[in-house]
Amino acid sequence: MHDPIADKPSFVSRRKFLSSAARALVAAPLFSVPLLQSCGKGGNFGFQEEVRPFQGPDAVLLDEIERTAFQFFWDQGYPTTGLIKDRTHARDSDSYFGCSIAAVGYGLAALCIGDARNYRPSRQIRERVKTTLATFLNKTESHEGFFYHFLNWTNGKRIWNSELSSGDTAIFLCGALTARQYFGTDYEIVDLATQLYNNVNWPWMCDGAMTVSMGWKPDSGFINARWSHYCELMMIYLLGIGSPTHPLPPESWHAWTRETYTYEGITYISSGDPLFTHQFSHAWYDFRNKHDDYADYFQNSVRATLAHKKFCLSLRDRFPDYSDSLWGFTASDAIDGYVAWGGPPPHGPIDGSVVPCATGGSLPFLYDDCMQVLRNIRGTYPQAWSRYGYTDAFNPLKKWYNADVLGIDQGIMMVMIENQRTGFVWNNFMKNIEAQKAMQLAGFVPNSA
């Protein structure tokens, strides 16, 4: 069967989607599903699902999630380049050939975790890490040290007219720097990762401003959108400030806004973006028990996650699948394509879908609440589980289960689960002297006792 996505993607990056969709949200309907659509004349209020949570210790389920996520990153990495698919079918083969450089960043961390947990022979994992880093240094199309968002996974060539992406380059570098520390006795890995980081010209991506542009294209130059308000941007600025070769000025940390939002008595920094914006930087930088001039960002993500849970529960009159044991959605696939939905405040065509990485990626912030959801999905919704773990999204009201898994969603779950269990990625990434230096220059200090 012809696969149209193999020729041209029907999906876009999270950040590009948010940038383009935000303008349309003002005029768009909030909820795309009529209240009485899914369950006949009785409406959604007749929805019932017997909860059958996973039977067994939390550690067993968490290891199962990590093993299957690791298998995605191993299977879907092209053997001679190490480049990892943006997505793949959850249950069968496909003809996707698009690599996401952000998926590669999470994949490098996944390889480190897999080595530590003996998911595969260490020699094989080390060689895959070396292959991946060497591909980026010597074969992949780049400019000023930044890489294009989407690449052909067989040769590293730019595809789909994608942008030179500052945000996705940052995620890739975080994975590379994690590998540099974990495999610190392997000179080749250390050298490759160091060269990749040192090559990035962070001030160039600012284009004369204090904030960083989201990207650049060779035919049109810098794109209009900038990293100018709180979201997943903290890793970008900290990587730039910590650079030993082309640093951003420490003042850039203060150049982006930190608007607050209050929901049901919970006040936190948020610009109304989906939940992943409170996860991605926290996958790498350890913000626990410290603050800068503005906030304790770890506790800020705790509050954001709790507010999102309360928001989901407030929708139960429309979408009765949401409950204490089933909630959470963030930018993901949906029935009609990729959607940057979230809340509070509500945005996107919310329809009762559940996105497992919303809770899986928030496990360190709200462990008991998120674990309850992960156990429920695993036991109650077997169709939401595949060879690579949880499918990207599903909708119990419509009996829809996404056919794909996405690399960045598998990645944020695996990394944050391991951080919750052992602090592994935090501990290794924060050994980088550049990360320590950047947080110091940004003004982070320990919380008072």
Side-chain angles (χ1 to χ4, degrees):
M1 180 181 294
H2 175 67
D3 186 351
I5 298 182
D7 299 324
K8 183 177 181 180
S10 62
F11 52 91
V12 295
S13 71
R14 295 173 186 238
R15 183 48 55 189
K16 183 184 292 185
F17 190 102
L18 285 170
S19 298
S20 62
R23 296 185 296 272
L25 288 177
V26 175
L30 177 60
F31 301 115
S32 65
V33 180
L35 299 189
L36 302 181
Q37 177 175 335
S38 297
C39 297
K41 294 181 180 180
N44 286 342
F45 298 97
F47 175 84
Q48 294 289 334
E49 189 77 54
E50 180 186 354
V51 176
R52 300 182 297 275
F54 174 84
Q55 299 297 311
D58 288 357
V60 172
L61 175 57
L62 294 177
D63 192 65
E64 187 179 28
I65 297 170
E66 289 195 77
R67 283 179 181 273
T68 52
F70 174 85
Q71 200 62 43
F72 165 84
F73 289 110
W74 186 262
D75 291 350
Q76 304 307 321
Y78 199 76
T80 60
T81 65
L83 300 182
I84 297 168
K85 286 184 184 179
D86 174 74
R87 62 173 62 219
T88 196
H89 284 339
R91 292 179 174 82
D92 52 28
S93 60
D94 58 68
S95 55
Y96 299 148
F97 62 85
C99 156
S100 156
I101 63 171
V104 177
Y106 281 117
L108 288 168
L111 291 171
C112 296
I113 296 168
D115 185 80
R117 289 194 172 274
N118 299 310
Y119 289 163
R120 199 169 186 90
S122 183
R123 179 187 58 81
Q124 295 179 13
I125 291 177
R126 281 176 179 258
E127 288 305 310
R128 179 66 67 86
V129 171
K130 292 177 185 179
T131 296
T132 305
L133 296 176
T135 295
F136 270 82
L137 187 64
N138 302 318
K139 297 180 181 179
T140 302
E141 288 190 75
S142 64
H143 185 66
E144 296 291 343
F146 292 91
F147 297 96
Y148 288 100
H149 191 155
F150 293 114
L151 307 171
N152 185 313
W153 77 321
T154 68
N155 57 28
K157 300 298 182 182
R158 174 196 185 199
I159 57 174
W160 301 325
N161 195 35
S162 59
E163 81 285 6
L164 205 71
S165 174
S166 53
D168 294 276
T169 295
I171 295 174
F172 163 72
L173 290 174
C174 285
L177 293 175
T178 300
R180 183 178 76 169
Q181 290 303 321
Y182 177 71
F183 295 109
T185 60
D186 191 309
Y187 174 79
E188 186 176 355
I189 291 176
V190 171
D191 182 59
L192 288 168
T194 300
Q195 288 188 66
L196 287 163
Y197 181 37
N198 290 352
N199 284 348
V200 180
N201 187 345
W202 299 97
W204 174 80
M205 190 57 87
C206 291
D207 189 30
M210 188 62 72
T211 56
V212 177
S213 172
M214 289 189 184
W216 175 90
K217 290 187 174 184
D219 56 340
S220 56
F222 292 98
I223 63 178
N224 292 329
R226 306 189 74 84
W227 297 103
S228 58
H229 67 260
Y230 174 83
C231 55
E232 71 272 31
L233 55 67
M234 292 192 294
M235 60 186 170
I236 301 169
Y237 284 95
L238 290 172
L239 283 168
I241 292 169
S243 170
T245 52
H246 308 287
L248 293 175
E251 292 76 20
S252 64
W253 184 254
H254 308 283
W256 43 275
T257 62
R258 298 161 172 83
E259 299 177 8
T260 59
Y261 182 79
T262 300
Y263 181 79
E264 290 195 13
I266 304 169
T267 299
Y268 56 103
I269 297 172
S270 176
S271 298
D273 291 333
L275 196 59
F276 79 88
T277 61
H278 297 281
Q279 300 172 347
F280 276 21
S281 288
H282 292 263
W284 318 98
Y285 288 88
D286 187 357
F287 294 102
R288 294 175 298 174
N289 303 313
K290 57 180 69 73
H291 66 277
D292 67 354
D293 291 343
Y294 308 97
D296 177 329
Y297 294 100
F298 187 87
Q299 290 302 318
N300 191 74
S301 288
V302 171
R303 292 192 291 272
T305 306
L306 180 59
H308 179 71
K309 175 186 176 179
K310 289 180 175 290
F311 169 72
C312 290
L313 297 183
S314 76
L315 304 178
R316 293 178 68 178
D317 60 338
R318 299 175 176 91
F319 312 113
D321 55 326
Y322 292 149
S323 68
D324 282 326
S325 59
L326 194 67
W327 56 272
F329 55 92
T330 183
S332 72
D333 278 357
I335 294 176
D336 296 321
Y338 195 79
V339 176
W341 43 21
H347 59 272
I350 300 170
D351 65 356
S353 290
V354 176
V355 182
C357 71
T359 46
S362 296
L363 206 66
F365 305 134
L366 213 62
Y367 178 82
D368 289 339
D369 302 67
C370 292
M371 198 68 218
Q372 184 177 355
V373 175
L374 296 177
R375 293 177 65 90
N376 181 28
I377 297 174
R378 183 68 183 95
T380 307
Y381 302 94
Q383 290 177 274
W385 186 263
S386 73
R387 56 179 174 160
Y388 296 134
Y390 296 115
T391 190
D392 192 57
F394 68 102
N395 190 317
L397 300 176
K398 292 187 172 184
K399 307 301 182 184
W400 171 79
Y401 296 86
N402 190 28
D404 286 1
V405 293
L406 274 63
I408 52 177
D409 290 347
Q410 298 302 98
I412 191 61
M413 272 199 292
M414 184 175 184
V415 169
M416 291 299 260
I417 285 172
E418 189 60 43
N419 277 337
Q420 167 63 32
R421 298 177 78 183
T422 67
F424 176 88
V425 178
W426 287 328
N427 293 339
N428 281 280
F429 183 82
M430 291 307 299
K431 290 178 183 176
N432 288 294
I433 191 170
E434 299 92 340
Q436 300 171 28
K437 173 186 174 183
M439 294 193 77
Q440 182 180 13
L441 290 173
F444 281 90
V445 294
N447 292 344
S448 56

